[in-house]
Amino acid sequence: MSLASSTIASLRQRLVAKEITPRDIVQDVAAAIEAQNPAIGAYLSWDLEKALAEADQADLSQPLGGIPIGIKDNMNVLGEPCSCASKMLAGYTAPYNAGAIEKLRAGGGIPFGRLNMDEFAMGSSTENSALGITRNPRDLDRIPGGSSGGSAAAVAGNLAIATLGSDTGGSIRQPAALCGCVGIKPTYGRISRYGLVAFASSLDQIGPITKTVEDAALLLNHLCGKDARDSTSLDIEVPDFTAALGRDIKGLRIGLPKEYFISGIHAGVSASIQAAIKKLESLGAIPVEISLPHTDVGVSTYYIIAPAEASANLARFDGVRYGHRTAESKDLLEHYLKSRAEGFGPEVKRRILLGTYVLSSGYYDAYYIKAQRARTLIRQDFEKAFEQVDVIVSPTSPTPAHKLGELKDNPLAAYLEDIFTIPVNLAGLPAISIPCGTAEEGGKQLPVGLQIIGKPLDEATILRVADAFEKA
């Protein structure tokens, strides 16, 4: 087995035993990138010399010591590009490290490579990148999901040991499901958003994409914690998430929301999810039917709140302070118009326009305030459900990965791909997606993801359930 296809846990054992060095790992990952990235398109750039220098200085006494981790291109890493896969930030170099990057380095991890994404994290396919598409390693004619498509494709294609992504409405879990990886979105506020380029500030959350549940727990241990520079960062003790692994799940109540098991789910996805539920039941879990009655307004609520926040956050990209600057303009107004028109892609423009509309005079109460009320109802649905159950399970995505270009001209259909992940972000809950089988589509067997949703700050229980299922 190549080092690039290994897990964090197995590599750490070999590093401690002095069978390999951090330099060996970085070089093997770099060789995999050189060989496979032209076909997959997961990476936008990578600085091998810088990573090797860090590898040579790695502190192997640290839990992540010597392990290279790929970084989604919307997190600042000092001295490296941070383009958010947009022409708007072409040539921008990060002047500081994001809080999550500082914590990763403090645990011994080595940030290595910038991973492709939907522009400014707006999309579910990574087809919205201004810098080129990413392909699903399981079938190169299909999408890897998004917006963290590069992060998931790198792990699935063994171009990375593990990666970091960001999740605003499912952007870690959905690509992890479509590529056959593990992806976890922790409770909102668990991981600092300082240095993460904002899409929707009340929804965005950083998290890992890995090959195993154990690796996800290892990374979470060294990403979570209070950051005074992020006012939403939670000042609570970070448990050892690996302590939850290896425990049985006998007696745990598994919620099955009737609104998530609908007729529109792909038949292969449905069969894999039902088989996964039976497997959990055979391990001693107790299935309980529950209701999340406001699920049907989740997508529409999200696509009012998220674009509204995006329109405010992206207002700073005006070509004056930083960002793309048009070459020709006769006055300041034309400068703004041309710079933003040239710098932003179609999906980003669509969401800025929608967000500006719902925040405008006469529509704020009609749309934005109502959406916030609906968000409260969605959160209350989960609170009531968790009075009956310990975790909730569902499909991560209603369909397997579709073909490249299939939904590019139908954004509303693409938005519905996130129907099961969006409510988790609106409620600020933790959730993990793990591989649970395959679905046949077009003569190919494509990965299916099982989503496990937990109570606020109860990442330990969803990791426990995911680990038990994975090992079974």
Side-chain angles (χ1 to χ4, degrees):
M1 179 184 286
S2 71
L3 300 181
S5 61
S6 301
T7 65
I8 295 174
S10 65
L11 289 173
R12 282 292 302 155
Q13 290 176 349
R14 297 183 67 187
L15 284 168
V16 172
K18 298 189 177 178
E19 296 175 10
I20 56 173
T21 68
R23 174 175 276 266
D24 294 333
I25 302 173
V26 171
Q27 288 178 325
D28 196 76
V29 170
I33 296 170
E34 291 281 359
Q36 299 180 62
N37 198 62
I40 295 174
Y43 284 84
L44 298 175
S45 65
W46 59 96
D47 189 335
L48 179 56
E49 288 187 13
K50 182 179 177 183
L52 287 173
E54 288 195 48
D56 291 339
Q57 299 297 319
D59 181 358
L60 298 187
S61 68
Q62 295 296 326
L64 300 176
I67 304 296
I69 306 293
I71 309 298
K72 186 177 179 178
D73 198 40
N74 60 350
M75 297 174 217
N76 282 268
V77 179
L78 177 64
E80 296 189 11
C82 186
S83 72
C84 292
S86 175
K87 292 178 182 177
M88 180 59 78
L89 284 174
Y92 176 76
T93 300
Y96 66 98
N97 282 314
I101 300 301
E102 290 178 350
K103 288 189 177 294
L104 181 69
R105 280 204 165 110
I110 302 169
F112 182 40
R114 308 295 300 171
L115 293 158
N116 199 16
M117 56 184 282
D118 286 299
E119 184 181 4
F120 283 99
M122 298 183 191
S124 302
S125 66
T126 317
E127 294 173 292
N128 296 318
S129 169
L131 306 180
I133 62 172
T134 298
R135 297 174 182 271
N136 192 321
R138 310 298 186 193
D139 181 348
L140 295 178
D141 292 328
R142 296 181 182 272
I143 64 162
S147 62
S148 305
S151 298
V155 173
N158 293 321
L159 282 72
I161 312 300
T163 60
L164 298 189
S166 65
D167 192 312
T168 306
S171 290
I172 287 172
R173 290 159 289 149
Q174 185 253 18
L178 300 191
C179 289
C181 309
V182 174
I184 184 167
K185 182 204 88 71
T187 304
Y188 181 77
R190 268 286 196 195
I191 298 175
S192 170
R193 292 184 300 108
Y194 175 76
L196 171 70
V197 179
F199 163 15
S201 302
S202 74
L203 299 165
D204 299 340
Q205 188 62 86
I206 293 170
I209 296 177
T210 60
K211 295 180 171 82
T212 64
V213 175
E214 181 182 16
D215 280 3
L218 283 168
L219 272 174
L220 268 189
N221 279 351
H222 302 284
L223 292 172
C224 298
K226 175 65 179 173
D227 185 343
R229 299 163 298 186
D230 174 10
S231 62
T232 62
S233 175
L234 298 173
D235 188 10
I236 56 172
E237 184 179 351
V238 179
D240 177 4
F241 293 111
T242 61
L245 309 182
R247 299 172 56 197
D248 68 53
I249 59 170
K250 289 178 183 174
L252 279 183
R253 296 161 299 165
I254 308 293
L256 308 178
K258 61 183 181 181
E259 294 82 4
Y260 282 35
F261 295 87
I262 53 179
S263 59
I265 299 175
H266 185 281
V269 171
S270 181
S272 288
I273 296 298
Q274 292 299 331
I277 292 167
K278 285 188 171 127
K279 174 59 70 176
L280 291 171
E281 195 172 357
S282 75
L283 295 172
I286 303 168
V288 179
E289 185 177 281
I290 59 169
S291 178
L292 298 171
H294 294 95
T295 296
D296 61 337
V297 299
V299 172
S300 54
T301 298
Y302 174 87
Y303 280 102
I304 291 173
I305 293 173
E309 295 186 14
S311 71
N313 282 325
L314 271 61
R316 70 194 72 179
F317 300 106
D318 55 16
V320 176
R321 290 160 290 189
Y322 51 85
H324 171 76
R325 180 174 294 188
T326 188
E328 294 182 9
S329 59
K330 65 177 183 284
D331 55 35
L332 184 61
L333 178 59
E334 187 177 67
H335 170 84
Y336 285 147
L337 295 174
K338 282 190 171 182
S339 295
R340 289 170 67 80
E342 294 166 6
F344 291 131
E347 183 61 29
V348 175
K349 290 175 184 174
R350 184 181 293 118
R351 299 197 193 195
I352 289 173
L353 287 169
L354 177 58
T356 303
Y357 177 81
V358 301
L359 291 176
S360 61
S361 176
Y363 298 100
Y364 181 83
D365 290 339
Y367 293 104
Y368 185 73
I369 293 298
K370 282 186 180 177
Q372 291 291 7
R373 288 173 181 156
R375 181 179 191 172
T376 298
L377 293 174
I378 290 168
R379 185 175 65 250
Q380 289 173 346
D381 285 349
F382 280 108
E383 289 171 353
K384 289 176 185 175
F386 280 122
E387 291 174 2
Q388 307 171 57
V389 298
D390 299 295
V391 299
I392 296 169
V393 300
S394 78
T396 306
S397 172
T399 64
H402 59 74
K403 287 197 171 181
L404 290 161
E406 192 173 321
L407 298 180
K408 196 160 177 59
D409 297 324
N410 190 353
L412 291 179
Y415 295 166
L416 289 171
E417 296 283 291
D418 297 329
I419 189 170
F420 301 135
T421 56
I422 278 172
V424 174
N425 295 78
L426 290 169
L429 301 173
I432 190 170
S433 178
I434 57 172
C436 72
T438 60
E440 185 177 348
E441 180 68 24
K444 298 283 184 73
Q445 291 295 328
L446 302 171
V448 173
L450 176 72
Q451 179 175 229
I452 306 169
I453 307 166
K455 300 174 184 177
L457 301 173
D458 195 14
E459 289 83 2
T461 300
I462 62 173
L463 286 164
R464 174 184 169 189
V465 174
D467 180 64
F469 178 84
E470 181 182 78
K471 286 173 177 169

